[in-house]
């Protein structure tokens, strides 16, 4: 199945956050045609921001020859607003991905049954 929109990615990963009381990170790895290669879950506990384990994310992406990715994390507080630390971590991830020939399609935040897209917010 092709994951061509933020809504499609959100629908795919939303169930992984439905019972999450703690912050967690999901990475959706995609091929050249934006088809799902894998979904990886990571602990995302960081002070006020998602902790992006760049080495682990890119080790798996390179092993699968992924050319795209979507990351998602939740805010158990219920606030969809990306923190400044979320924004900075996402920019580092996007720059690293670009250097490796991988496109960061989006970063999604889930909170209180809603989803926010960094791309739709103009943050990517």
């Amino acid at each position: 199945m092709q994951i061509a929109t933020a809504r499609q990615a959100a629908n795919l990963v939303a169930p992984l956050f439905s019972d999450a009381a703690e912050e967690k990170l999901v990475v959706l790895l995609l091929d050249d045609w934006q088809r799902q290669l894998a979904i990886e879950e990571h602990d995302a506990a960081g002070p006020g921001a998602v902790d992006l384990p760049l080495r682990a994310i890119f080790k798996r992406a390179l092993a699968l020859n992924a050319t795209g990715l979507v990351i998602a994390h939740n805010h158990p507080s219920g606030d969809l607003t990306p923190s400044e630390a979320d924004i900075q971590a996402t920019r580092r991830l996007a720059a690293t991905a670009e250097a490796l020939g991988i496109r960061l399609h989006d970063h999604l935040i889930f909170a209180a049954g809603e989803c926010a897209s960094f791309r739709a917010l103009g943050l990517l």
Side-chain angles (χ1 to χ4, degrees):
M1 173 174 112
Q2 187 181 36
I3 309 297
T5 67
R7 178 56 37 213
Q8 289 172 322
N11 289 342
L12 182 64
V13 301
L16 301 174
F17 297 105
S18 64
D19 295 331
E22 299 291 322
E23 201 165 320
K24 74 178 189 178
L25 172 72
V26 172
V27 180
L28 175 59
L29 299 164
L30 306 170
D31 68 10
D32 288 335
W33 297 275
Q34 292 177 258
R35 293 179 303 207
Q36 175 188 334
L37 293 170
I39 295 178
E40 306 283 325
E41 293 185 51
H42 301 272
D43 290 329
V50 65
D51 179 24
L52 298 177
L54 296 180
R55 291 174 62 93
I57 291 169
F58 290 113
K59 179 179 179 182
R60 184 71 169 140
L62 293 170
L64 293 175
N65 201 28
T67 56
L69 57 93
V70 174
I71 61 170
H73 80 282
N74 63 321
H75 283 174
S77 68
D79 183 1
L80 275 176
T81 309
S83 69
E84 186 58 34
D86 288 340
I87 294 166
Q88 294 305 317
T90 302
R91 289 184 178 149
R92 280 191 306 278
L93 178 80
T96 304
E98 183 179 353
L100 295 170
I102 299 171
R103 180 168 187 240
L104 175 59
H105 291 279
D106 214 334
H107 181 165
L108 306 174
I109 297 177
F110 290 88
E114 299 293 323
C115 179
S117 158
F118 270 53
R119 190 156 304 279
L121 292 170
L123 298 173
L124 272 179

